[in-house]
Amino acid sequence: MGALLLMLLVSTVNASALLGKGSLRREARRPSCVRCCGPSEQPVSVVSSRYARMSKDPAYSVPKVQPTIDITILKGEKGDMGEEGVAGAAGEDGEQGLRGYNGQKGQKGHVGPPGNSCKLHYAAFSVGRRKPLHSSDYFKHVTFDTEFVNLYQHFNMFTGKFFCYVPGVYFFNLNVHTWNFKETYLHLMKNDKEVAILYAQPSERSIMQSQSLMLDLQEGDEVWVRMFKRERENGVYSEESDIYITFNGHLIKPAIE
């Protein structure tokens, strides 16, 4: 009897030991729980995560229903025309277009009034004298023997006078060389009236003397040079090899252009 109780006790102890080992194995196989979200975040349930995966899948997406409204039912009557608005800013110029076709030839115009008679609008001369000259008379006409420029022959070399063919404003210039111990007294003449004087007192040394002026001439006017004698002997110097006496003139502005 005692032997039977001892065997029951040993078998009970062995069974409890085996049960303890099995529970330890199951506890060793179960993984430990690790927090994967913050304290304020709640873990997503299985149902909600499954719904999210199904909503992203086109096969499980819910179709969108968009109502359609007939605008013609809501459209009212046409209103009155509003006032004209303010004009906008001008746009940029466009590119130049192609050249158009030539138009029809116009009618012949009326004959115009007759114009002025054709006249020369140029006049110029430059002459010189190689021989010296003394004034023994009261007046002595100065002539010239050398022609430098004589445009259209408006200066008469025989008379020593410039004849105006083109009315307008002219410039004239007279240059002479004085004679030692002699007076030099000349007039620039317009027609029969003296308009300027070239004068030099007697001196031991001869000098160059000059006179210039502008004149407003009409057609037919003459400009020339004459010597005037007073109490003293009057003379101008020159040489055959050199020219000391010159007379020049040219048109500045014609009266009719």
Side-chain angles (χ1 to χ4, degrees):
M1 187 69 180
L4 180 60
L5 290 174
L6 182 60
M7 291 177 64
L8 289 173
L9 182 60
V10 171
S11 60
T12 302
V13 172
N14 292 333
S16 61
L18 292 174
L19 290 172
K21 290 181 180 180
S23 61
L24 288 176
R25 288 192 188 121
R26 282 195 298 272
E27 290 179 1
R29 292 177 184 176
R30 182 182 300 174
S32 62
C33 181
V34 179
R35 180 179 293 275
C36 62
C37 55
S40 61
E41 298 177 356
Q42 297 296 330
V44 182
S45 62
V46 177
V47 177
S48 60
S49 62
R50 182 181 303 172
Y51 174 76
R53 288 195 303 271
M54 292 176 64
S55 61
K56 293 181 181 180
D57 192 351
Y60 296 98
S61 61
V62 179
K64 295 181 180 180
V65 179
Q66 185 174 1
T68 303
I69 301 175
D70 190 358
I71 303 299
T72 58
I73 300 174
L74 304 177
K75 185 176 180 181
E77 296 180 357
K78 185 176 180 180
D80 298 332
M81 181 180 294
E83 297 180 357
E84 185 177 356
V86 181
E92 298 181 356
D93 295 338
E95 298 180 357
Q96 185 175 357
L98 299 176
R99 184 175 180 180
Y101 297 102
N102 295 330
Q104 297 180 356
K105 186 177 180 180
Q107 298 179 355
K108 187 176 181 180
H110 300 289
V111 178
N116 298 324
S117 58
C118 181
K119 293 186 178 181
L120 301 175
H121 295 316
Y122 302 96
F125 73 91
S126 179
V127 294
R129 181 181 175 92
R130 294 179 181 273
K131 298 178 180 180
L133 187 63
H134 294 271
S135 175
S136 56
D137 300 329
Y138 185 67
F139 294 113
K140 188 175 185 65
H141 190 172
V142 179
T143 58
F144 300 87
D145 52 27
T146 304
E147 183 180 271
F148 298 111
V149 174
N150 193 3
L151 194 62
Y152 308 118
Q153 301 300 310
H154 288 184
F155 188 88
N156 191 325
M157 294 294 293
F158 180 75
T159 63
K161 294 182 179 181
F162 169 76
F163 187 88
C164 177
Y165 289 94
V166 182
V169 178
Y170 285 79
F171 173 82
F172 295 96
N173 170 256
L174 175 64
N175 301 290
V176 300
H177 192 284
T178 63
W179 208 316
N180 297 5
F181 304 105
K182 293 184 180 181
E183 188 178 43
T184 301
Y185 199 134
L186 295 96
H187 287 153
L188 272 169
M189 305 291 295
K190 176 183 177 183
N191 298 326
D192 295 330
K193 182 180 180 180
E194 61 272 7
V195 292
I197 296 175
L198 187 153
Y199 178 77
Q201 293 181 346
S203 175
E204 296 180 358
R205 300 180 60 183
S206 61
I207 60 173
M208 290 295 299
Q209 198 77 347
S210 178
Q211 179 65 279
S212 302
L213 78 164
M214 289 190 295
L215 295 174
D216 189 2
L217 302 182
Q218 303 298 323
E219 186 176 359
D221 288 341
E222 291 180 324
V223 180
W224 50 289
V225 181
R226 78 177 182 185
M227 295 187 70
F228 175 69
K229 181 182 178 182
R230 299 191 298 178
E231 305 86 23
R232 301 173 183 176
E233 186 178 3
N234 188 9
V236 289
Y237 179 80
S238 190
E239 294 179 357
E240 291 289 340
S241 59
D242 297 315
I243 297 178
Y244 291 91
I245 305 170
T246 59
F247 184 34
N248 314 285
H250 65 274
L251 175 65
I252 296 177
K253 183 180 185 299
I256 301 176
E257 293 182 331

